[in-house]
Amino acid sequence: MKLCRLPLPTSSPLKPFHTAAVSVLEDHLTPASAATLAPHLSPPPESPASSFSKLTTLISATQSVGGAAQIHAHLAKCGLSFGPPLRQHLLSLYSRCRSPESARKLFDEFPDPDHISWSALISAYSNNGLGREALLSFRKMRSLGVRSNEFTLPSVLKACSASSDFIAGTQVHAFVIVTGFESDVFVANTLVVMYANFGLLLDSKRLFDGITDRNSVSWNGLLAGCVRNERFDEAVSLFQEMVMDGMRPNEFGFSCILNACTGSQDLSCGRAVHGYLTRLGYHSDAFTTNALVDMYAKLGNAKAAAMVFGKIARPDIVSWNSFIAGCVLHGHDSRALALLVEMKASGMVPNVFTLSSVLKACAGTGMLDLGMQIHGTLIKAGSDSDSFVGVGLVDMYAKCNCLDDAMKAFYLIPEQDLISWNALISGCSHSGSDDEALACFSKMRREGLNFNRTTLSAVLKSTASLPAITATKQVHGLATRAGFLSDPHVVNGLVDAYGKCSCLEEAGRVFEECQSGDVVAFTSLITAHSQSGQGEEAIKVFCKMLNQDLKPDSFVCSSLLNACASLSAYEQGKQIHVHVQKMGFMSDVFAGNALVNMYAKCGSVEDATLAFSEIPERGIVSWSAMIGGLAQHGHGKKALDLFSKMLDEGLSPNHITLTSVLCACNHAGLIDEAKQYFDLMEEMYGVQRTQEHYACMIDLLGRAGRLNEAMELVHHMPFEANASVWGALLGASRVHGNIELGRQAAEMLFALEPEKSGTHVLLANMYASAGMWDNVAKVRRLMKDSRVKKEPAMSWVEMKDKIYTFIVGDRSHDRTAEIYAKLEELGELMRKAGYVPMVETDLHDVEPWEKEVLLSHHSEKLAVAFALISTPAGVPIRVKKNLRVCRDCHTAFKFICQIVSTEIILRDINRFHHFKDGACSCGDYW
């Protein structure tokens, strides 16, 4: 904007400066400022005071260090002798233009600087983050005997905070008391802020209470201190006290309280503050609306954030950054990228903070190409080495599995601080590069950097994924020494890591000792027990959680359903299903998948099918769970029909889906179909064959008696056969009496799994079936010499929300007499129906009649007998066994289900057996 130049009297000493000043100001004033100042640019009157006033107005209007330097140069060139007041204005101008070096040069030109000049210099240093220089200047000022005033001391106290020099702060505080300035409200307010900045909130509060004439700055200083020290509840209470005291909050106070609501995750409090500031007319204030957008976005209420944002007439860079960062924080990465497009269309230029958030959104959406384009733009602009942007680049490349590029971006950051190391470690952990994450953590420690909860949480995620128990214990030790065991994020990470490392005792100890007691901690412990097969313990932890009035989330319910699945706890699973419905989690895909899995593993295909039909958006996990459930229950053709339907809906199978498909073919005896799926697996579906796929095919061929083809497939495998493959061959050899192949398979299993007793038992049974008793004896001696102990067989059944466990010959139950009486009754009825005990399957060195007794007291028979005396006639019985069901029990249950007219659903380690009408769904092959 051009300013009107009016002629000045020739005699005016300001004429040369006025002309130059107008020229300078035209280059540096904003249009708004120029319009404001135009009336003041008329010729200065003869009064010196009036001339000085106009000149100071011109100085105050400039906004750049270039303009300040030119004004200063023209004053010197014109030889004008400007006194202390004008010098103070120029000093303040340099400070405002963020040029403390220029302020110092000007100061050094002063012949005899007074306390005002010293105060201006100290303020220039302090306001520009040069706390150490400000303190040195203060000491120099004191040594020269220049007195301080109420304007000097706040700048000095601010410098103590900026330089983290608490000792200097206490010394200045003492000086304040000695000089009597502690009663000055400006000085007192700065003391309140300083002590809060050093984390001494109690001292800060005591100083605040001592201020007699508190103003809004006093309240805001303590409010900000509470927020900075994460004492969010105290900040809310203080804000309420301020309002009750009659102090009207300003935009800074509202910003502080909104930040407190954000920190405490208290959306309802934030809404109340929103309503209050609207009534006071602050809803149109830019500072306050930005804080509102930030709060709603960070608390995950994107709708409210968008509403507030949409009412801002001219959103500034802070508005855009707050909204975009909040979207990224809650995983709304696509929305964040859409906002970037809107931002650029509005004419607002993204800054480094914008681009850092956008880079995280690129990582979240996997849009590596866009991230690389942004990186290219940053390189052209020379901003790629900015630490804030550098962290975003590291995060993006690491999470997109480009670790080499992440490392390059990391080492381009001028100073690798904790934030940049955290980005690298978290990125490696997130992308599954867990060994690299641990290596980076070790290197960071060697370089002398400390860590925070973000570091430990990322490292523990990697130790859990590996799993690495030694590293977990080391991190536990570091967390203990550094005082992080009170942090819920670290505690939850430890519980999860110990659980994934199968150290449930340690996980439980951390949980109890640290008493984190939040939903995440309970979820971690419940999941740990569930994944370790300790479903009963998982349910106990859940009951404890409910007793503490904690509301389970969908992840807790999913873990509990998996625990019920591992126990075959059908009734308890149904109760968790009710919880899922009450809490509105039926639309949650994780809970839906867990329901399908639970009902399938509890023996109710009907309920599993119903749960599957209620999942709103079925993904590959949902389809795989349902196909696998049908296959496990022997419904091979239904499973294959469902697979065809999945393909028709456009979903591609993964390796788990195809394993279930092959199992379905196995149970349905569909050899040709299985071969077709197996042969075309890579060509049609892009899935490489795994050991599980080969084991399924070998089991299928073995079941059909095509043992030569099975062995040929073993020889053509692209990798060494594992225990699953040899186990399938051993099972097939036992069924079809191929002693030689069975012996070969057993020898391979002895080498692969020497501690497993199941191999010895199957081999002995195979020899027993062939009447080779000498070989049976050899196997028994081998078990004894190898110190292999037969895993104790256990069976359990659920009755009225309680799990009852049985072992062979168990007499610990309250109803033992009734259970054994029922077994005697069933034994008589079975013998009349033609049942003959298979004494050859018992390997104990006792008389045949004793073997009959032992067989009749097997754990699964005890469980079935207990179920029969505890449930109404005709109600299906569900039993689970930890080992493979023995041949005698399998035969007995076919008789029992017909005698009592009740379906018996038995789940052993391999599959489900549905005994109904004298037959089993497995077709006597398991």
Side-chain angles (χ1 to χ4, degrees), residues 217-451:
V217 178
S218 314
W219 288 96
N220 290 343
L222 188 56
L223 262 176
C226 290
V227 174
R228 189 177 294 109
N229 287 279
E230 299 187 358
R231 306 277 275 274
F232 305 118
D233 292 336
E234 291 181 34
V236 173
S237 298
L238 184 67
F239 183 79
Q240 292 170 340
E241 184 184 339
M242 178 178 81
V243 174
M244 295 296 292
D245 204 41
M247 181 62 65
R248 180 187 173 99
N250 60 15
E251 65 273 15
F252 187 79
F254 279 122
S255 176
C256 285
I257 190 61
L258 288 170
N259 286 336
C261 295
T262 303
S264 62
Q265 303 282 299
D266 193 341
L267 185 59
S268 61
C269 181
R271 284 176 174 148
V273 173
H274 187 180
Y276 181 50
L277 67 86
T278 301
R279 288 197 299 275
L280 295 185
Y282 280 97
H283 58 286
S284 58
D285 174 76
F287 197 69
T288 308
T289 50
N290 285 343
L292 276 170
V293 171
D294 182 69
M295 179 197 72
Y296 281 125
K298 285 182 178 173
L299 294 184
N301 193 333
K303 186 177 180 181
M307 182 192 70
V308 176
F309 182 83
K311 291 181 180 179
I312 302 174
R314 287 189 178 90
D316 59 14
I317 191 68
V318 178
S319 316
W320 286 103
N321 285 350
S322 297
F323 199 4
I324 291 171
C327 288
V328 172
L329 180 67
H330 288 277
H332 305 306
D333 299 309
S334 298
R335 179 74 182 276
L337 295 176
L339 282 170
L340 175 68
V341 175
E342 291 178 33
M343 177 184 180
K344 295 180 75 175
S346 73
M348 183 65 65
V349 179
N351 64 9
V352 291
F353 299 103
T354 322
L355 295 176
S356 177
S357 294
V358 169
L359 287 169
K360 290 179 182 177
C362 292
T365 55
M367 297 180 70
L368 179 61
D369 290 343
L370 177 59
M372 292 176 74
Q373 288 175 24
I374 294 172
H375 190 181
T377 303
L378 289 166
I379 292 172
K380 289 177 183 176
S383 301
D384 58 316
S385 60
D386 178 90
S387 58
F388 208 75
V389 170
V391 168
L393 287 169
V394 171
D395 179 74
M396 180 199 69
Y397 282 121
K399 287 180 178 176
C400 290
N401 292 316
C402 299
L403 286 183
D404 289 341
D405 291 319
M407 290 290 185
K408 289 174 185 175
F410 176 78
Y411 286 111
L412 281 174
I413 300 174
E415 291 184 15
Q416 288 90 28
D417 58 5
L418 178 59
I419 296 173
S420 54
W421 276 105
N422 281 350
L424 184 60
I425 293 168
S426 298
C428 290
S429 180
H430 179 85
S431 63
S433 304
D434 299 303
D435 289 319
E436 287 81 357
L438 299 186
C440 288
F441 179 61
S442 298
K443 188 174 181 182
M444 183 188 98
R445 297 288 294 145
R446 286 196 301 272
E447 292 189 7
L449 269 81
N450 213 333
F451 50 83

Side-chain angles (χ1 to χ4, degrees), residues 738-813:
N738 192 322
I739 302 299
E740 189 55 41
L741 181 56
R743 185 184 291 116
Q744 181 186 350
E747 287 174 357
M748 296 301 299
L749 287 168
F750 290 150
L752 291 169
E753 297 178 335
E755 76 286 353
K756 293 289 181 72
S757 61
T759 305
H760 297 80
V761 174
L762 271 176
L763 182 61
N765 284 339
M766 182 181 70
Y767 286 141
S769 297
M772 301 170 68
W773 299 108
D774 289 342
N775 289 40
V776 173
K778 287 179 182 178
V779 173
R780 290 174 59 190
R781 281 197 300 273
L782 178 63
M783 284 185 72
K784 186 176 180 181
D785 294 342
S786 304
R787 297 184 179 178
V788 174
K789 292 185 178 180
K790 186 177 182 294
E791 184 179 353
M794 294 176 64
S795 299
W796 52 93
V797 63
E798 181 188 23
M799 289 291 157
K800 296 179 181 178
D801 300 336
K802 189 174 179 182
I803 306 296
Y804 294 89
T805 306
F806 296 90
I807 60 174
V808 62
D810 201 333
R811 293 184 178 271
S812 62
H813 199 279

Side-chain angles (χ1 to χ4, degrees), residues 88-156:
Q88 317 313 337
H89 280 284
L90 277 171
L91 267 177
S92 298
L93 174 58
Y94 278 126
S95 174
R96 195 171 65 248
C97 294
R98 307 193 69 80
S99 181
E101 301 85 359
S102 301
R104 180 72 208 202
K105 288 177 183 177
L106 174 62
F107 178 84
D108 290 339
E109 295 174 8
F110 297 175
D112 188 20
D114 58 8
H115 68 283
I116 298 175
S117 302
W118 278 104
S119 295
L121 177 65
I122 292 168
S123 177
Y125 280 135
S126 181
N127 289 337
N128 287 281
L130 301 173
R132 185 61 53 198
E133 289 78 359
L135 292 176
L136 290 172
S137 298
F138 177 65
R139 291 190 182 106
K140 181 68 175 176
M141 172 186 174
R142 295 284 302 132
S143 69
L144 293 173
V146 180
R147 67 182 178 85
S148 305
N149 64 9
E150 68 274 19
F151 301 106
T152 315
L153 294 171
S155 295
V156 177

